[in-house]
Amino acid sequence: MYAIVEIAGQQFKVQEGQEIFVHHLGKPEGEKMTFDKVYLIDRAGQVSVGMPTLNNKVSATVVHPMVQGDKVIIFKKKRRKGYQLMKGHRQQFTKIKIDSIQ
């Protein structure tokens, strides 16, 4: 059984017991959350599609409140001008565990 749900502006395919990384939510560790925007649920081959959403909910628990992703390096250069710029960025994520799909 899986569902497609919108979390923090992005759509995720989730299953019960699965741990996923979503954009930083600013919630403390151990807090329970429910997500109402469920677009699709598949129960052993029986697919329910919402128009636009279903009346089901997905509940989750925060495992780690803030995890940083891999560093992305931004490098700019203009040849023969002596211009170089190097910056880095690490995206912040929240790790959540899907408890149930109702």
Coordinates of all heavy atoms in Angstrom, one line a residue:
M1 N 0.9 -1.2 0.0 CA 0.0 0.0 0.0 C 0.9 1.2 0.0 O 1.8 1.3 0.8 CB -0.9 0.0 1.2 CG -1.8 1.2 1.3 SD -3.0 0.9 2.6 CE -3.0 2.5 3.4
Y2 N 0.6 2.1 -0.9 CA 1.3 3.4 -1.0 C 0.4 4.5 -1.3 O -0.7 4.3 -1.7 CB 2.5 3.3 -2.0 CG 2.1 3.3 -3.4 CD1 1.9 4.5 -4.1 CD2 1.9 2.1 -4.1 CE1 1.5 4.4 -5.4 CE2 1.5 2.1 -5.4 CZ 1.3 3.2 -6.1 OH 1.0 3.2 -7.4
A3 N 0.9 5.8 -1.0 CA 0.1 6.9 -1.3 C 1.0 8.0 -1.9 O 2.2 8.0 -1.6 CB -0.5 7.5 0.0
I4 N 0.4 8.9 -2.7 CA 1.1 10.1 -3.1 C 0.6 11.3 -2.4 O -0.6 11.5 -2.4 CB 1.0 10.2 -4.7 CG1 1.7 9.1 -5.4 CG2 1.6 11.6 -5.1 CD1 1.6 9.1 -6.8
V5 N 1.4 12.0 -1.7 CA 1.0 13.0 -0.7 C 1.9 14.2 -1.0 O 3.1 14.1 -1.4 CB 1.1 12.5 0.7 CG1 2.5 12.1 1.1 CG2 0.5 13.5 1.7
E6 N 1.3 15.4 -0.7 CA 2.1 16.6 -0.8 C 2.6 17.1 0.5 O 1.8 17.2 1.5 CB 1.2 17.8 -1.4 CG 2.0 19.1 -1.6 CD 1.2 20.1 -2.3 OE1 0.4 19.8 -3.2 OE2 1.3 21.3 -1.9
I7 N 3.9 17.2 0.7 CA 4.6 17.6 1.9 C 5.5 18.8 1.6 O 6.4 18.7 0.8 CB 5.4 16.5 2.5 CG1 4.5 15.3 2.8 CG2 6.1 16.9 3.8 CD1 5.3 14.0 3.2
A8 N 5.2 19.9 2.2 CA 6.1 21.1 2.0 C 6.2 21.5 0.6 O 7.3 21.9 0.1 CB 7.4 20.9 2.7
G9 N 5.1 21.4 -0.2 CA 5.1 21.9 -1.6 C 5.6 20.9 -2.6 O 5.7 21.2 -3.8
Q10 N 6.0 19.7 -2.1 CA 6.5 18.7 -3.0 C 5.7 17.4 -2.9 O 5.2 17.2 -1.8 CB 8.0 18.3 -2.8 CG 8.9 19.4 -3.1 CD 10.4 19.0 -3.0 OE1 10.7 18.3 -2.0 NE2 11.2 19.3 -3.9
Q11 N 5.6 16.6 -4.0 CA 4.8 15.4 -3.9 C 5.8 14.2 -3.7 O 6.8 14.1 -4.3 CB 4.0 15.2 -5.2 CG 3.0 16.2 -5.4 CD 2.2 16.0 -6.7 OE1 2.4 15.0 -7.4 NE2 1.4 17.0 -7.1
F12 N 5.4 13.3 -2.8 CA 6.2 12.1 -2.4 C 5.3 10.9 -2.5 O 4.2 10.9 -2.1 CB 6.7 12.3 -1.0 CG 7.7 13.4 -0.8 CD1 7.3 14.6 -0.4 CD2 9.1 13.1 -1.1 CE1 8.2 15.6 -0.2 CE2 10.0 14.2 -0.9 CZ 9.6 15.4 -0.5
K13 N 5.9 9.8 -3.0 CA 5.3 8.5 -2.9 C 5.8 7.8 -1.6 O 7.0 7.6 -1.4 CB 5.8 7.6 -4.1 CG 5.2 6.2 -4.1 CD 5.7 5.5 -5.3 CE 5.2 4.0 -5.3 NZ 5.7 3.2 -6.4
V14 N 4.8 7.6 -0.7 CA 5.2 7.1 0.6 C 4.5 5.8 0.9 O 3.4 5.5 0.4 CB 4.8 8.2 1.7 CG1 5.6 9.4 1.5 CG2 3.3 8.4 1.7
Q15 N 5.2 5.0 1.8 CA 4.6 3.8 2.4 C 4.7 3.8 3.9 O 5.6 4.6 4.4 CB 5.4 2.6 1.8 CG 5.3 2.4 0.3 CD 6.1 1.2 -0.2 OE1 7.0 0.7 0.5 NE2 5.8 0.8 -1.4
E16 N 4.0 3.0 4.5 CA 4.0 2.9 6.0 C 5.4 2.4 6.4 O 5.9 1.4 5.9 CB 2.9 2.0 6.6 CG 1.6 2.6 6.4 CD 0.5 1.8 7.0 OE1 0.8 0.8 7.7 OE2 -0.7 2.1 6.8
G17 N 6.0 3.1 7.4 CA 7.3 2.7 7.9 C 8.5 3.3 7.2 O 9.6 3.1 7.6
Q18 N 8.2 4.0 6.1 CA 9.3 4.6 5.3 C 9.8 5.9 5.9 O 9.0 6.6 6.5 CB 8.7 4.9 3.9 CG 9.7 5.4 2.9 CD 9.1 5.7 1.6 OE1 7.9 5.7 1.4 NE2 9.9 6.0 0.6
E19 N 11.1 6.1 5.8 CA 11.7 7.3 6.3 C 12.1 8.1 5.1 O 12.8 7.6 4.2 CB 12.9 7.1 7.2 CG 12.5 6.4 8.5 CD 13.7 6.2 9.5 OE1 14.8 6.4 9.0 OE2 13.4 5.9 10.6
I20 N 11.7 9.4 5.0 CA 12.1 10.3 3.9 C 12.6 11.6 4.4 O 12.4 12.0 5.5 CB 10.8 10.5 3.0 CG1 9.7 11.1 3.7 CG2 10.4 9.2 2.3 CD1 8.5 11.6 2.9
F21 N 13.3 12.3 3.5 CA 13.8 13.6 3.7 C 12.9 14.6 3.0 O 12.7 14.5 1.8 CB 15.3 13.7 3.2 CG 16.3 12.9 4.0 CD1 16.7 11.7 3.5 CD2 16.8 13.4 5.2 CE1 17.6 10.9 4.2 CE2 17.7 12.6 5.9 CZ 18.1 11.4 5.4
V22 N 12.4 15.6 3.7 CA 11.6 16.6 3.1 C 12.3 18.0 3.4 O 13.2 18.1 4.3 CB 10.1 16.6 3.6 CG1 9.5 15.3 3.3 CG2 10.1 16.8 5.1
H23 N 11.8 19.0 2.8 CA 12.3 20.4 3.1 C 12.2 20.7 4.6 O 11.2 20.2 5.2 CB 11.7 21.4 2.2 CG 12.1 21.4 0.8 ND1 13.5 21.6 0.5 CD2 11.5 21.3 -0.4 CE1 13.6 21.6 -0.8 NE2 12.4 21.4 -1.4
H24 N 13.0 21.5 5.1 CA 13.1 21.8 6.5 C 11.7 22.3 7.0 O 11.1 23.3 6.4 CB 14.1 22.9 6.8 CG 14.3 23.2 8.2 ND1 14.7 22.3 9.2 CD2 14.1 24.4 8.9 CE1 14.7 22.9 10.3 NE2 14.4 24.1 10.2
L25 N 11.1 21.7 8.0 CA 9.8 22.0 8.5 C 9.8 22.8 9.8 O 8.8 23.4 10.1 CB 9.0 20.7 8.7 CG 8.7 19.8 7.5 CD1 8.1 18.5 7.9 CD2 7.9 20.5 6.5
G26 N 10.9 22.8 10.5 CA 11.0 23.6 11.7 C 10.2 23.0 12.9 O 9.7 23.7 13.8
K27 N 10.0 21.7 12.9 CA 9.3 21.0 14.0 C 10.3 20.3 14.9 O 11.4 19.8 14.4 CB 8.4 20.0 13.4 CG 7.4 20.5 12.4 CD 6.3 21.2 13.0 CE 5.3 21.6 12.0 NZ 4.1 22.3 12.5
P28 N 10.1 20.2 16.2 CA 11.0 19.5 17.1 C 10.9 17.9 16.9 O 10.0 17.4 16.3 CB 10.5 19.8 18.5 CG 9.1 20.2 18.3 CD 8.9 20.8 16.9
E29 N 12.0 17.3 17.4 CA 12.1 15.8 17.2 C 11.0 15.1 18.0 O 10.6 15.5 19.1 CB 13.4 15.3 17.7 CG 13.7 13.9 17.5 CD 15.1 13.5 17.9 OE1 15.9 14.3 18.1 OE2 15.3 12.3 18.0
G30 N 10.3 14.1 17.4 CA 9.3 13.3 18.0 C 7.9 13.9 17.8 O 6.9 13.3 18.3
E31 N 7.7 15.0 17.2 CA 6.4 15.6 17.0 C 5.7 14.9 15.9 O 6.2 14.5 14.9 CB 6.5 17.1 16.6 CG 5.2 17.8 16.4 CD 5.3 19.3 16.3 OE1 6.2 19.9 16.8 OE2 4.4 19.8 15.6
K32 N 4.4 14.7 16.1 CA 3.5 14.0 15.2 C 2.9 15.0 14.3 O 2.5 16.1 14.7 CB 2.4 13.2 15.9 CG 2.9 12.3 17.0 CD 3.0 10.9 16.4 CE 3.3 10.0 17.6 NZ 4.0 8.8 17.1
M33 N 2.7 14.7 13.0 CA 2.1 15.5 12.0 C 1.2 14.7 11.1 O 1.3 13.5 11.0 CB 3.2 16.1 11.1 CG 4.2 17.0 11.8 SD 5.4 17.7 10.7 CE 6.3 16.2 10.2
T34 N 0.2 15.4 10.6 CA -0.7 14.8 9.6 C -0.7 15.6 8.3 O -0.6 16.9 8.4 CB -2.1 14.7 10.1 OG1 -2.6 16.0 10.4 CG2 -2.2 13.8 11.3
F35 N -0.8 15.0 7.2 CA -0.8 15.6 5.9 C -2.1 15.3 5.2 O -2.5 14.2 5.1 CB 0.4 15.2 5.1 CG 1.7 15.4 5.7 CD1 2.5 14.4 6.2 CD2 2.3 16.7 5.8 CE1 3.7 14.6 6.9 CE2 3.5 16.9 6.4 CZ 4.2 15.9 7.0
D36 N -2.8 16.4 4.8 CA -4.2 16.2 4.3 C -4.2 16.1 2.8 O -5.2 15.6 2.2 CB -5.1 17.4 4.7 CG -5.2 17.5 6.2 OD1 -5.1 16.4 6.9 OD2 -5.4 18.6 6.8
K37 N -3.2 16.6 2.1 CA -3.3 16.6 0.6 C -2.8 15.3 0.1 O -1.6 15.1 -0.3 CB -2.4 17.7 0.1 CG -3.0 19.1 0.4 CD -2.3 20.2 -0.3 CE -2.9 21.5 -0.1 NZ -2.2 22.6 -0.8
V38 N -3.7 14.3 0.1 CA -3.4 13.0 -0.5 C -4.0 12.9 -1.9 O -5.2 13.1 -2.0 CB -4.0 11.9 0.4 CG1 -3.7 10.5 -0.1 CG2 -3.4 12.0 1.8
Y39 N -3.2 12.7 -2.9 CA -3.7 12.7 -4.3 C -4.0 11.3 -4.8 O -4.8 11.1 -5.7 CB -2.6 13.3 -5.2 CG -2.4 14.7 -4.9 CD1 -1.1 15.2 -4.4 CD2 -3.4 15.7 -5.0 CE1 -0.9 16.5 -4.1 CE2 -3.1 17.0 -4.7 CZ -1.9 17.4 -4.3 OH -1.7 18.7 -4.0
L40 N -3.4 10.2 -4.3 CA -3.6 8.9 -4.8 C -3.3 7.9 -3.7 O -2.3 8.1 -2.9 CB -2.7 8.6 -6.0 CG -2.7 7.3 -6.7 CD1 -2.7 7.5 -8.2 CD2 -1.7 6.4 -6.3
I41 N -4.1 6.8 -3.6 CA -3.8 5.7 -2.7 C -4.0 4.4 -3.5 O -4.9 4.2 -4.2 CB -4.8 5.7 -1.5 CG1 -4.4 6.9 -0.6 CG2 -4.7 4.4 -0.7 CD1 -5.3 6.9 0.7
D42 N -3.0 3.5 -3.4 CA -3.0 2.2 -4.0 C -3.1 1.1 -2.9 O -2.1 1.0 -2.1 CB -1.8 2.0 -4.9 CG -1.8 0.7 -5.6 OD1 -2.8 0.0 -5.5 OD2 -0.8 0.3 -6.3
R43 N -4.2 0.4 -2.8 CA -4.3 -0.7 -1.8 C -4.4 -2.0 -2.6 O -5.5 -2.4 -3.1 CB -5.6 -0.5 -1.0 CG -5.6 0.7 -0.1 CD -6.9 0.7 0.8 NE -6.9 1.8 1.7 CZ -7.5 3.0 1.4 NH1 -8.2 3.1 0.3 NH2 -7.5 4.0 2.3
A44 N -3.3 -2.7 -2.7 CA -3.2 -4.0 -3.3 C -3.9 -4.0 -4.7 O -4.7 -4.9 -5.1 CB -3.9 -5.1 -2.5
G45 N -3.6 -3.0 -5.5 CA -4.1 -3.0 -6.9 C -5.3 -2.1 -7.1 O -5.7 -1.8 -8.2
Q46 N -6.0 -1.8 -6.0 CA -7.2 -0.9 -6.1 C -6.7 0.5 -5.9 O -6.3 0.9 -4.8 CB -8.2 -1.2 -5.0 CG -8.8 -2.6 -5.1 CD -9.8 -2.8 -4.0 OE1 -9.8 -2.3 -2.9 NE2 -10.8 -3.7 -4.3
V47 N -6.8 1.3 -7.0 CA -6.2 2.7 -7.0 C -7.4 3.6 -6.8 O -8.4 3.6 -7.5 CB -5.5 2.9 -8.3 CG1 -5.0 4.3 -8.3 CG2 -4.4 1.9 -8.5
S48 N -7.2 4.6 -5.9 CA -8.2 5.7 -5.6 C -7.5 7.0 -6.0 O -6.4 7.3 -5.4 CB -8.6 5.7 -4.2 OG -9.2 4.5 -3.8
V49 N -8.0 7.7 -6.9 CA -7.4 9.0 -7.4 C -8.4 10.1 -7.0 O -9.6 10.0 -7.2 CB -7.2 9.0 -8.9 CG1 -6.6 10.3 -9.3 CG2 -6.3 7.8 -9.3
G50 N -7.8 11.1 -6.3 CA -8.6 12.3 -5.9 C -8.8 13.3 -7.0 O -7.9 13.4 -7.9
M51 N -9.8 14.1 -6.9 CA -10.1 15.1 -7.9 C -10.4 16.4 -7.1 O -11.5 16.7 -6.9 CB -11.2 14.8 -8.8 CG -10.9 13.7 -9.7 SD -12.1 13.5 -11.0 CE -11.6 12.0 -11.7
P52 N -9.4 17.2 -6.6 CA -8.0 17.0 -6.7 C -7.4 16.2 -5.6 O -6.3 15.6 -5.7 CB -7.5 18.4 -6.7 CG -8.4 19.2 -5.8 CD -9.8 18.5 -6.1
T53 N -8.1 16.1 -4.4 CA -7.5 15.3 -3.3 C -8.5 14.4 -2.8 O -9.7 14.5 -3.0 CB -7.0 16.3 -2.2 OG1 -8.2 17.0 -1.7 CG2 -6.0 17.2 -2.6
L54 N -8.0 13.4 -2.0 CA -8.9 12.5 -1.3 C -9.1 12.9 0.2 O -8.5 13.8 0.6 CB -8.2 11.1 -1.2 CG -8.0 10.4 -2.6 CD1 -7.1 9.2 -2.4 CD2 -9.3 10.0 -3.2
N55 N -10.1 12.3 0.8 CA -10.4 12.6 2.2 C -9.5 11.8 3.2 O -9.9 11.7 4.4 CB -11.9 12.4 2.5 CG -12.7 13.4 1.8 OD1 -12.3 14.5 1.5 ND2 -14.0 13.0 1.5
N56 N -8.5 11.3 2.8 CA -7.6 10.5 3.6 C -6.5 11.3 4.2 O -6.3 12.5 3.7 CB -7.0 9.3 2.8 CG -8.0 8.4 2.3 OD1 -8.9 8.8 1.6 ND2 -7.9 7.1 2.6
K57 N -5.8 10.8 5.2 CA -4.7 11.5 5.8 C -3.5 10.6 6.0 O -3.6 9.4 6.1 CB -5.1 12.0 7.2 CG -6.2 13.1 7.1 CD -6.5 13.6 8.5 CE -7.7 14.6 8.3 NZ -8.0 15.3 9.6
V58 N -2.3 11.2 6.0 CA -1.1 10.5 6.2 C -0.5 11.1 7.5 O -0.3 12.3 7.6 CB -0.1 10.6 5.0 CG1 1.2 10.0 5.3 CG2 -0.7 10.0 3.8
S59 N -0.2 10.2 8.5 CA 0.5 10.7 9.7 C 1.9 10.3 9.7 O 2.3 9.2 9.2 CB -0.3 10.2 10.9 OG -0.2 8.8 10.9
A60 N 2.8 11.2 10.3 CA 4.2 11.0 10.3 C 4.8 11.6 11.6 O 4.1 12.3 12.3 CB 4.9 11.7 9.1
T61 N 6.0 11.1 11.9 CA 6.7 11.6 13.1 C 8.1 12.1 12.7 O 8.7 11.5 11.8 CB 6.9 10.4 14.1 OG1 5.7 9.8 14.4 CG2 7.6 10.9 15.4
V62 N 8.5 13.2 13.3 CA 9.8 13.8 13.0 C 10.9 12.9 13.6 O 10.9 12.7 14.9 CB 9.9 15.2 13.5 CG1 11.3 15.8 13.2 CG2 8.9 16.1 12.8
V63 N 11.8 12.4 12.8 CA 12.9 11.6 13.4 C 14.1 12.5 13.7 O 14.7 12.5 14.8 CB 13.3 10.5 12.4 CG1 14.5 9.7 12.9 CG2 12.2 9.6 12.1
H64 N 14.6 13.3 12.7 CA 15.6 14.3 12.9 C 15.1 15.7 12.4 O 14.7 15.8 11.3 CB 16.9 13.9 12.1 CG 17.5 12.7 12.6 ND1 18.2 12.6 13.8 CD2 17.7 11.5 12.1 CE1 18.7 11.4 14.0 NE2 18.4 10.7 12.9
P65 N 15.1 16.7 13.3 CA 14.6 18.0 12.9 C 15.4 18.7 11.8 O 14.8 19.4 11.0 CB 14.5 18.8 14.2 CG 15.3 18.1 15.2 CD 15.5 16.7 14.7
M66 N 16.7 18.6 11.8 CA 17.4 19.3 10.7 C 18.6 18.4 10.3 O 19.5 18.1 11.1 CB 17.9 20.6 11.2 CG 18.5 21.5 10.1 SD 19.1 23.1 10.6 CE 20.7 22.7 11.2
V67 N 18.7 18.1 9.1 CA 19.8 17.3 8.5 C 20.2 18.1 7.3 O 19.4 18.6 6.5 CB 19.3 15.9 8.0 CG1 20.4 15.1 7.4 CG2 18.7 15.1 9.2
Q68 N 21.5 18.2 7.1 CA 22.0 19.0 6.0 C 22.4 18.0 4.8 O 23.0 17.0 5.0 CB 23.3 19.8 6.3 CG 22.9 21.0 7.2 CD 24.1 21.9 7.4 OE1 25.2 21.5 7.4 NE2 23.8 23.2 7.5
G69 N 22.1 18.5 3.6 CA 22.3 17.7 2.4 C 23.8 17.8 2.0 O 24.6 18.5 2.7
D70 N 24.1 17.3 0.9 CA 25.4 17.4 0.3 C 25.7 18.8 -0.1 O 24.8 19.6 -0.5 CB 25.6 16.5 -0.9 CG 25.5 15.0 -0.5 OD1 25.8 14.7 0.6 OD2 25.1 14.2 -1.4
K71 N 27.0 19.2 -0.1 CA 27.4 20.6 -0.5 C 27.3 20.7 -2.0 O 27.8 19.8 -2.8 CB 28.8 20.9 0.0 CG 29.2 22.3 -0.4 CD 30.5 22.7 0.2 CE 30.3 23.4 1.5 NZ 31.5 24.0 2.0
V72 N 26.7 21.8 -2.5 CA 26.7 22.1 -3.9 C 27.6 23.3 -4.1 O 27.5 24.3 -3.4 CB 25.2 22.5 -4.3 CG1 25.2 23.0 -5.7 CG2 24.3 21.4 -4.0
I73 N 28.6 23.2 -5.0 CA 29.6 24.2 -5.2 C 29.2 25.1 -6.4 O 28.9 24.5 -7.5 CB 31.0 23.6 -5.4 CG1 31.4 22.9 -4.1 CG2 32.0 24.7 -5.8 CD1 32.7 22.2 -4.2
I74 N 29.2 26.4 -6.2 CA 28.9 27.3 -7.3 C 30.2 28.0 -7.6 O 30.8 28.7 -6.8 CB 27.8 28.4 -6.9 CG1 26.5 27.7 -6.5 CG2 27.6 29.4 -7.9 CD1 26.3 27.5 -5.1
F75 N 30.7 27.9 -8.9 CA 31.9 28.5 -9.3 C 31.7 29.3 -10.5 O 31.1 28.8 -11.5 CB 33.0 27.4 -9.5 CG 34.3 28.0 -9.9 CD1 35.1 28.5 -9.0 CD2 34.8 27.9 -11.2 CE1 36.4 29.0 -9.3 CE2 36.0 28.4 -11.6 CZ 36.8 29.0 -10.6
K76 N 32.1 30.6 -10.5 CA 32.0 31.5 -11.6 C 33.3 32.0 -12.0 O 34.1 32.3 -11.1 CB 31.0 32.7 -11.3 CG 29.6 32.3 -10.9 CD 28.8 33.5 -10.6 CE 27.4 33.1 -10.2 NZ 26.6 34.3 -9.9
K77 N 33.6 32.2 -13.3 CA 34.8 32.7 -13.7 C 34.7 33.4 -15.0 O 33.9 32.9 -15.9 CB 35.8 31.5 -13.9 CG 37.2 32.0 -14.4 CD 38.2 30.9 -14.5 CE 39.5 31.4 -15.1 NZ 40.6 30.5 -14.9
K78 N 35.4 34.5 -15.2 CA 35.4 35.2 -16.5 C 36.9 35.2 -16.9 O 37.8 35.7 -16.2 CB 34.9 36.6 -16.3 CG 33.5 36.7 -16.0 CD 33.0 38.1 -16.0 CE 31.5 38.1 -15.7 NZ 30.9 39.5 -15.6
R79 N 37.1 34.5 -18.0 CA 38.5 34.3 -18.5 C 39.2 35.7 -18.8 O 38.5 36.6 -19.3 CB 38.6 33.4 -19.6 CG 37.9 33.8 -20.9 CD 37.9 32.7 -21.9 NE 37.4 33.2 -23.2 CZ 37.8 32.8 -24.3 NH1 38.7 31.8 -24.4 NH2 37.3 33.3 -25.4
R80 N 40.4 35.7 -18.6 CA 41.3 36.8 -18.9 C 40.9 38.1 -18.1 O 41.4 39.2 -18.5 CB 41.4 37.1 -20.4 CG 41.9 36.0 -21.2 CD 42.2 36.3 -22.6 NE 41.0 36.8 -23.3 CZ 40.1 36.0 -24.0 NH1 40.4 34.7 -24.0 NH2 39.1 36.4 -24.6
K81 N 40.1 38.1 -17.1 CA 39.7 39.2 -16.4 C 40.1 39.2 -14.9 O 39.9 40.1 -14.2 CB 38.1 39.4 -16.4 CG 37.5 39.4 -17.8 CD 38.0 40.6 -18.5 CE 37.3 40.7 -19.9 NZ 38.1 41.5 -20.9
G82 N 40.6 38.0 -14.5 CA 41.0 37.9 -13.1 C 39.8 37.8 -12.1 O 40.0 38.0 -10.9
Y83 N 38.6 37.4 -12.6 CA 37.4 37.3 -11.8 C 37.1 35.8 -11.5 O 37.0 35.0 -12.5 CB 36.3 37.9 -12.5 CG 34.9 37.7 -11.9 CD1 34.6 38.4 -10.7 CD2 34.0 36.7 -12.4 CE1 33.3 38.2 -10.1 CE2 32.8 36.5 -11.8 CZ 32.5 37.2 -10.7 OH 31.2 37.0 -10.0
Q84 N 37.1 35.4 -10.3 CA 36.7 34.1 -9.8 C 35.8 34.3 -8.6 O 36.1 35.1 -7.7 CB 37.9 33.2 -9.5 CG 38.7 32.8 -10.6 CD 39.8 31.8 -10.2 OE1 40.1 31.7 -9.0 NE2 40.4 31.1 -11.1
L85 N 34.7 33.5 -8.5 CA 33.9 33.5 -7.4 C 33.5 32.0 -7.1 O 33.0 31.3 -7.9 CB 32.6 34.3 -7.7 CG 31.5 34.4 -6.6 CD1 32.1 35.2 -5.4 CD2 30.3 35.0 -7.1
M86 N 33.7 31.6 -5.8 CA 33.4 30.3 -5.4 C 32.5 30.3 -4.2 O 32.9 30.9 -3.2 CB 34.7 29.5 -5.1 CG 34.4 28.0 -4.9 SD 36.0 27.2 -5.0 CE 35.5 25.6 -4.4
K87 N 31.4 29.8 -4.2 CA 30.4 29.7 -3.1 C 29.9 28.3 -2.9 O 30.0 27.5 -3.8 CB 29.2 30.6 -3.3 CG 29.5 32.1 -3.3 CD 28.2 32.9 -3.5 CE 28.5 34.3 -3.5 NZ 27.2 35.1 -3.6
G88 N 29.4 28.0 -1.7 CA 28.9 26.7 -1.5 C 27.5 26.8 -0.8 O 27.2 27.8 -0.2
H89 N 26.7 25.8 -0.9 CA 25.4 25.8 -0.3 C 25.1 24.3 0.2 O 25.3 23.4 -0.5 CB 24.3 26.2 -1.3 CG 22.9 26.1 -0.8 ND1 22.4 27.0 0.1 CD2 22.0 25.2 -1.1 CE1 21.2 26.6 0.4 NE2 20.9 25.6 -0.4
R90 N 24.5 24.2 1.4 CA 24.0 22.9 1.9 C 22.5 23.1 2.2 O 22.2 23.9 3.1 CB 24.8 22.5 3.1 CG 26.2 22.1 2.7 CD 27.0 21.6 3.9 NE 26.5 20.3 4.2 CZ 26.9 19.5 5.2 NH1 27.8 20.0 6.0 NH2 26.5 18.3 5.4
Q91 N 21.7 22.4 1.6 CA 20.2 22.4 1.8 C 19.9 21.8 3.1 O 20.5 20.7 3.5 CB 19.5 21.7 0.7 CG 18.0 21.8 0.7 CD 17.5 23.3 0.5 OE1 18.0 24.0 -0.3 NE2 16.4 23.6 1.2
Q92 N 18.9 22.3 3.9 CA 18.5 21.8 5.1 C 17.2 20.9 4.9 O 16.3 21.4 4.2 CB 18.2 22.9 6.1 CG 19.4 23.7 6.5 CD 19.1 24.8 7.5 OE1 18.0 25.1 7.7 NE2 20.2 25.3 8.1
F93 N 17.2 19.7 5.5 CA 16.1 18.8 5.4 C 15.6 18.4 6.7 O 16.3 18.5 7.7 CB 16.5 17.5 4.6 CG 16.9 17.8 3.2 CD1 18.3 17.8 2.8 CD2 16.0 18.0 2.2 CE1 18.6 18.0 1.5 CE2 16.3 18.2 0.9 CZ 17.7 18.2 0.5
T94 N 14.4 17.9 6.8 CA 13.9 17.2 8.0 C 13.6 15.8 7.6 O 13.0 15.5 6.6 CB 12.5 17.9 8.4 OG1 12.8 19.3 8.7 CG2 12.0 17.2 9.6
K95 N 14.0 14.8 8.5 CA 13.8 13.4 8.2 C 12.6 13.0 9.0 O 12.5 13.2 10.2 CB 15.0 12.6 8.7 CG 14.9 11.1 8.4 CD 16.2 10.4 8.8 CE 16.2 9.0 8.3 NZ 17.4 8.3 8.7
I96 N 11.6 12.5 8.3 CA 10.3 12.0 8.9 C 10.1 10.6 8.6 O 10.6 10.0 7.6 CB 9.1 12.9 8.4 CG1 8.9 12.7 6.9 CG2 9.3 14.3 8.8 CD1 7.6 13.4 6.5
K97 N 9.3 9.9 9.5 CA 8.9 8.5 9.3 C 7.4 8.5 9.2 O 6.7 9.0 10.0 CB 9.4 7.7 10.5 CG 9.0 6.2 10.4 CD 9.5 5.4 11.6 CE 9.2 4.0 11.3 NZ 9.6 3.1 12.5
I98 N 7.0 7.8 8.1 CA 5.5 7.7 7.9 C 5.0 6.6 8.8 O 5.4 5.4 8.8 CB 5.3 7.3 6.4 CG1 6.0 8.3 5.4 CG2 3.8 7.2 6.1 CD1 5.5 9.7 5.6
D99 N 4.0 7.0 9.6 CA 3.4 6.1 10.6 C 2.2 5.3 10.0 O 2.2 4.1 10.1 CB 3.0 6.8 11.9 CG 4.1 7.4 12.6 OD1 5.2 6.8 12.6 OD2 3.9 8.5 13.2
S100 N 1.3 6.0 9.4 CA 0.1 5.3 8.9 C -0.5 6.1 7.7 O -0.3 7.3 7.6 CB -0.9 5.1 10.0 OG -1.4 6.4 10.4
I101 N -1.2 5.4 6.9 CA -2.0 6.0 5.8 C -3.4 5.6 6.1 O -3.8 4.4 6.1 CB -1.5 5.4 4.4 CG1 0.0 5.8 4.2 CG2 -2.4 6.0 3.3 CD1 0.6 5.1 3.0
Q102 N -4.3 6.6 6.3 CA -5.7 6.3 6.7 C -6.6 6.6 5.6 O -6.5 7.6 4.9 CB -6.0 7.1 7.9 CG -5.1 6.9 9.1 CD -5.2 7.9 10.2 OE1 -6.0 8.9 10.0 NE2 -4.6 7.7 11.3

